[in-house]
Amino acid sequence: MNFSFANDYKYCTVRIEIIDNQVNLLGSGTGFYFDITNGDNTKSFVITNKHVVKGANRGRFQIHRANEDGSINPSNTAGLYLENFESHWIMHPDKHVDLAAYPLPDY
């Protein structure tokens, strides 16, 4: 079976943080992993609300990692920083539907 964020991390959420140029936190939200499959092709996304990313110039994903023994350590995180944050998201075309999707890289 091929790697899939939604399959391999189906019980996980990702923290989405909106930050300024000095990496000060301006706002935050959560997202979840979701796959769309078309035939043999699968594309993974992070799904969140439009209002979380709307107008964001700089943002990051904070993903918690388990310790080597499998225990949880909230300070053990990995981050992905993105400039022009809002531009990376696909907004739902219906203005009344508050959903946005971030296409994850293929693995």
Side-chain angles (χ1 to χ4, degrees), residues 15-87:
R15 181 176 167 90
I16 300 165
E17 298 179 340
I18 308 308
I19 53 177
D20 64 15
N21 290 336
Q22 289 75 40
V23 195
N24 295 310
L25 183 64
L26 302 175
S28 65
T30 57
F32 62 91
Y33 300 103
F34 186 78
D35 281 349
I36 296 175
T37 301
N38 183 6
D40 291 336
N41 299 319
T42 298
K43 183 69 182 161
S44 296
F45 296 86
V46 170
I47 307 296
T48 193
N49 298 107
K50 286 182 194 175
H51 72 266
V52 172
V53 297
K54 195 78 172 158
N57 292 322
R58 191 169 193 221
R60 69 180 166 206
F61 296 107
Q62 286 292 102
I63 303 165
H64 288 88
R65 296 188 244 179
N67 293 324
E68 291 199 22
D69 65 359
S71 64
I72 298 170
N73 179 349
S75 64
N76 187 6
T77 63
L80 169 66
Y81 292 82
L82 294 169
E83 300 293 331
N84 304 310
F85 198 62
E86 181 184 358
S87 70

Side-chain angles (χ1 to χ4, degrees), residues 8-19:
D8 294 354
Y9 296 98
K10 66 177 114 188
Y11 301 113
C12 298
T13 58
V14 59
R15 181 176 167 90
I16 300 165
E17 298 179 340
I18 308 308
I19 53 177

